[in-house]
Amino acid sequence: MINNTFKSGFIAIIGRPNVGKSTLLNNILGRKIAIISPKPQTTRNRILGVKNLSQAQLIFLDTPGIHRTRSGLGKRMVTTALAALEEVNLILHLVEPEENKWEKEEFVLEKLSSVTASVFLLINKIDTIAKESLLPLMRQSGSLGIYQEILPISALRGEGIDQLLDLIVGVLPRGPRYFPEDIVTDQMERFLAAEIIREKVFNLTEQEIPYSTAVLVEEFKEREGKNLISIRALINVERDSQKGIIIGKKGRMIREIGEKARLELERLLGARIFLDLFVRVQKNWSRDSRALREFGYQ
Ligand SMILES: Nc1nc2c(ncn2[C@@H]2O[C@H](COP(=O)(O)OP(=O)(O)OP(=O)(O)O)[C@@H](O)[C@H]2O)c(=O)[nH]1
Ligand SMILES: [Mg+2]
């Protein structure tokens, strides 16, 4: 039966690194499909998440943070983020609630100036500021004339999310249900496994280590009738010294990465997990286009 009031569309979540894009996606879906860390440039791929409402289907694209960069990996990340702008009905531009910091947003604003989709500004992390400081910020951003809506939210606490969903449905066109109702993401479980391991590296290591790490799942086997998945993954780093840091004194670091990743994957996948981690030095992979392809950073 044709339901001619049903609405659907694609919505890109964009912004500078670390503003809370992945946190927002997870909160909207009520489920973790994107990894999060307090460090910038955590997300490296486009992450698709589907939100089903009774009269609408919202398809969100979480993207890597947009920043000026010349590195091989960084350039690919920004290209991935900018490509999402072309495919969507609506763009959510996330910013941190800092006043008079629009110069930081210059690069993103430049990119937004040529898009055809509607754009909402989401001022995120409002749990970190005094309510009074919001008004001048909203006035400032309104004067830019770019945004159809300006909404303060807290992705972490889920504040403003219901109102955001209402506003999104308001601007989406009539359209079909693109994905079956039980699909939350198009990503494979083995990609999620690689990402969760990478998240633990991001959270447990410092300086350049997170940025020199890429995780490749070599084996992802579900043991029939046992509710058990065995995963073998390679943590790639760029130099020998980094390998030592990932392994840690007496193997302590890699054990902690493995333990944290295993516990979380057991929760997310609802199965017992055997997780085997190895560390490999793949010299300067972040500047090597073949390695970047191998690790899924097209
Ligand atoms: N206080 C507060 N912290 C938040 C909020 N949203 C996100 N954060 C924190 O901000 C940090 C970055 O969050 P992410 O969701 O990884 O940010 P991102 O924009 O996806 O970052 P990249 O993938 O690196 O571009 C994490 O430490 C989050 O916990 C919020 O509403 N309030
Ligand atoms: Mg992210």
Side-chain angles (χ1 to χ4, degrees):
M1 198 171 59
I2 294 170
N3 176 348
N4 64 8
T5 60
F6 197 83
K7 291 179 147 194
S8 61
F10 289 78
I11 302 129
I13 306 174
I14 68 145
R16 284 187 297 116
N18 215 40
V19 294
K21 300 177 294 297
S22 302
T23 306
L24 175 65
L25 177 67
N26 290 340
N27 192 296
I28 288 172
L29 299 180
R31 198 173 129 174
K32 179 163 172 178
I33 66 162
I35 63 168
I36 290 168
S37 91
K39 300 187 176 76
Q41 297 168 44
T42 304
T43 305
R44 293 179 181 166
N45 304 80
R46 187 212 69 171
I47 311 276
L48 181 146
V50 184
K51 176 77 177 176
N52 288 299
L53 302 172
S54 61
Q55 282 307 305
Q57 183 170 70
L58 282 45
I59 301 149
F60 291 92
L61 305 178
D62 179 21
T63 62
I66 297 174
H67 60 292
R68 290 185 199 276
T69 170
R70 281 194 286 173
S71 84
L73 174 61
K75 273 206 304 223
R76 276 160 210 253
M77 285 160 58
V78 174
T79 303
T80 299
L82 296 179
L85 299 180
E86 312 290 326
E87 309 172 26
V88 295
N89 303 89
L90 173 66
I91 295 164
L92 305 178
H93 177 197
L94 247 75
V95 296
E96 303 231 2
E98 302 163 302
E99 249 182 281
N100 298 316
K101 288 284 172 62
W102 286 99
E103 65 272 22
K104 279 198 187 171
E105 298 295 335
E106 230 172 54
F107 189 46
V108 178
L109 291 177
E110 201 181 289
K111 301 295 171 192
L112 286 178
S113 65
S114 59
V115 300
T116 50
S118 313
V119 188
F120 291 179
L121 179 72
L122 304 183
I123 302 172
N124 189 29
K125 307 194 184 182
I126 53 162
D127 54 288
T128 63
I129 54 155
K131 285 262 175 329
E132 311 82 76
S133 53
L134 258 177
L135 213 61
L137 191 66
M138 291 178 71
R139 211 174 294 128
Q140 254 179 34
S141 36
S143 69
L144 295 170
I146 300 173
Y147 304 112
Q148 190 164 335
E149 298 284 352
I150 297 170
L151 189 69
I153 65 166
S154 168
L156 192 67
R157 300 206 180 153
E159 285 167 34
I161 305 299
D162 288 341
Q163 197 190 346
L164 171 63
L165 293 178
D166 287 345
L167 290 171
I168 292 173
V169 173
V171 301
L172 286 189
R174 289 188 181 155
R177 208 184 272 286
Y178 291 100
F179 289 86
E181 252 181 297
D182 56 344
I183 298 286
V184 178
T185 178
D186 64 348
Q187 81 194 13
M188 311 271 284
E189 288 181 339
R190 68 190 289 150
F191 174 76
L192 181 69
E195 286 287 271
I196 294 292
I197 297 163
R198 199 166 63 78
E199 182 187 69
K200 304 314 165 204
V201 174
F202 255 73
N203 283 308
L204 292 169
T205 67
E206 297 305 325
Q207 290 163 4
E208 90 288 3
I209 305 292
Y211 305 101
S212 299
T213 299
V215 178
L216 200 61
V217 169
E218 291 198 309
E219 185 185 287
F220 187 102
K221 260 203 206 130
E222 300 186 36
R223 308 279 170 189
E224 252 171 75
K226 281 194 177 158
N227 197 29
L228 175 74
I229 304 171
S230 75
I231 300 171
R232 194 177 65 232
L234 264 183
I235 300 179
N236 295 273
V237 291
E238 305 203 88
R239 291 197 297 276
D240 292 324
S241 58
Q242 297 170 340
K243 180 173 173 176
I245 292 169
I246 294 279
I247 292 171
K249 269 203 196 99
K250 296 188 178 157
R252 246 181 252 147
M253 178 59 90
I254 188 130
R255 266 205 307 280
E256 190 175 358
I257 293 167
E259 183 66 5
K260 292 212 152 95
R262 183 181 63 77
L263 288 173
E264 180 152 16
L265 283 167
E266 290 190 335
R267 256 201 322 275
L268 293 174
L269 300 178
R272 236 163 20 103
I273 308 278
F274 277 175
L275 180 58
D276 243 345
L277 293 180
F278 298 87
V279 189
R280 174 175 77 173
V281 179
Q282 175 88 348
K283 286 240 174 335
N284 299 323
W285 66 261
S286 71
R287 283 181 270 152
D288 171 355
S289 51
R290 235 188 50 201
L292 285 166
R293 250 198 320 278
E294 184 192 357
F295 300 153
Y297 308 128
Q298 293 298 344

